[in-house]
Amino acid sequence: MRPRDLTRPLLILAASAVPASAQWSSATLSEARYGPAAAAAGAKVLFAGGDCAAPSAPVDVYDTTSGAWSAAGLSEPRPLGAAATLGTRAFFAGGRTPAGARDRIDLSDGATDVRSPATLPTGQADAVGLSVGDKLLFGGGTTSSVTDLVQIYDDATGTWSTATLSVPRNDMAGASVGSKALFAGGWKNGALASAAVDIYDDATGTWSTAQLSQARGSLTATCVGHKVLFAGGSSGPLGDSTVVDIYDDETGTWSVATLSQPRGELRATSVGARALFAGGFDGVGGSPTDVVDVYDDRDGSWS
């Protein structure tokens, strides 16, 4: 396991309607920790839980309208929770404590403090949380062991159902585009990298599979336009990866690009027409990196 950096800084990209005006600024979390879950709810961005010397409960809330920070708390301290947004509500589900995988769900509706109105049918940690249509999907991770479980909440009916991934795995990446939710890569049995991609189509209620061009875990994903980009990660003995697998939902096709340097455990987000891939470990001695690769969906260029 790589050493964790327990510092608190956040880098914030503020983009206006004019691309040239994009600026960087920085802020700090209320508590140094790694592995928080992050989600947006309305005009707010929330960073929840994580781990340091012990499981963490703080939720740091950034208001994009006022630029102000506030604090809330999870109902139970825990890292390795999954975050997903449905409408203007952010859900923080599962996670792990010394007692094992947890079933707790905390909710923020963008206006009130975080509260705990529900539970997962089965405790689940290190899952990927996605939303598509009226549904929330929490896939993979661990229950009592590495799992293929997908727990699906239908907000229209208030009911839960389950599905299974094609391969049990944790430390996957996931993103939604159009009517589809995609779960990609990860580690099988905690050691072997997977190339599996499981795709749920909410328009038909069906599942299908695809393959990444390179098996890897500890990768990241984000959606920009009608594309999902799965970037970086580790291939185990082959080291960290520069590969970016790109799924185009408009054409149903896959293509490949490369990051400027190999790295795993990086993070991704999108703003406007740009997808940003930041930080991670650079694959050379496991050193953290400050590199940000930027993909511009308007012309397919990288910087």
Side-chain angles (χ1 to χ4, degrees), residues 13 63 82 93 106 116-118 120-121 136 148 151 161-162 168 194 203 205 261 270 281:
L13 178 67
D63 190 318
D106 291 291
S116 183
L120 294 167
L136 291 169
D148 59 4
Q151 303 192 84
S161 60
T162 60
S194 173
Q261 66 180 55
S270 298
F281 289 89

Side-chain angles (χ1 to χ4, degrees), residues 9-300:
L10 295 171
L11 293 177
I12 302 169
L13 178 67
S16 75
V18 181
S21 69
Q23 300 292 326
W24 287 96
S25 59
S26 63
T28 57
L29 297 174
S30 61
E31 178 182 89
R33 59 196 194 269
Y34 63 83
K44 295 183 173 65
V45 182
L46 301 92
F47 302 90
D51 207 347
C52 187
S56 177
V59 180
D60 291 285
V61 183
Y62 176 70
D63 190 318
T64 61
T65 302
S66 66
W69 287 86
S70 59
L74 295 175
S75 58
E76 177 183 56
R78 58 196 194 272
L80 299 177
T85 300
L86 193 61
T88 60
R89 293 168 294 163
F91 295 80
F92 301 99
R96 182 171 295 280
T97 70
R102 309 303 293 168
D103 63 1
R104 194 71 57 91
I105 297 177
D106 291 291
L107 165 68
S108 172
D109 62 9
T112 63
D113 289 337
V114 176
R115 51 196 172 88
S116 183
T119 56
L120 294 167
T122 301
Q124 192 174 13
D126 197 24
V128 171
L130 298 175
S131 64
V132 61
D134 289 326
K135 296 182 178 67
L136 291 169
L137 295 89
F138 301 100
T142 59
T143 50
S144 56
S145 60
V146 176
T147 185
D148 59 4
L149 175 66
V150 183
Q151 303 192 84
I152 305 170
Y153 176 71
D154 188 327
D155 190 51
T157 63
T159 59
W160 287 91
S161 60
T162 60
T164 54
L165 301 173
S166 58
V167 180
R169 57 202 195 272
N170 65 346
D171 209 0
M172 299 184 294
S176 298
V177 59
S179 65
K180 298 182 179 70
L182 295 87
F183 301 86
W187 298 102
K188 301 178 290 185
N189 300 319
L192 298 174
S194 173
V197 182
D198 290 276
I199 305 170
Y200 171 73
D201 190 335
D202 188 53
T204 61
T206 59
W207 288 84
S208 60
T209 59
Q211 293 282 307
L212 298 174
S213 63
Q214 181 187 57
R216 55 202 195 273
S218 305
L219 68 168
T220 192
T222 190
C223 173
V224 60
H226 49 78
K227 298 184 181 74
V228 175
L229 294 87
F230 299 97
S234 175
S235 298
L238 297 178
D240 291 328
S241 177
T242 61
V243 171
V244 182
D245 288 287
I246 304 173
Y247 172 71
D248 188 325
D249 186 52
E250 195 169 69
T251 62
T253 58
W254 290 83
S255 59
V256 176
T258 56
L259 298 172
S260 61
Q261 66 180 55
R263 57 196 198 272
E265 297 189 36
L266 67 170
R267 294 295 180 262
T269 193
S270 298
V271 57
R274 294 185 175 95
L276 297 93
F277 304 91
F281 289 89
D282 66 8
V284 181
S287 301
T289 178
D290 58 4
V291 169
V292 181
D293 287 290
V294 183
Y295 170 76
D296 193 324
D297 188 51
R298 293 169 298 183
D299 58 8

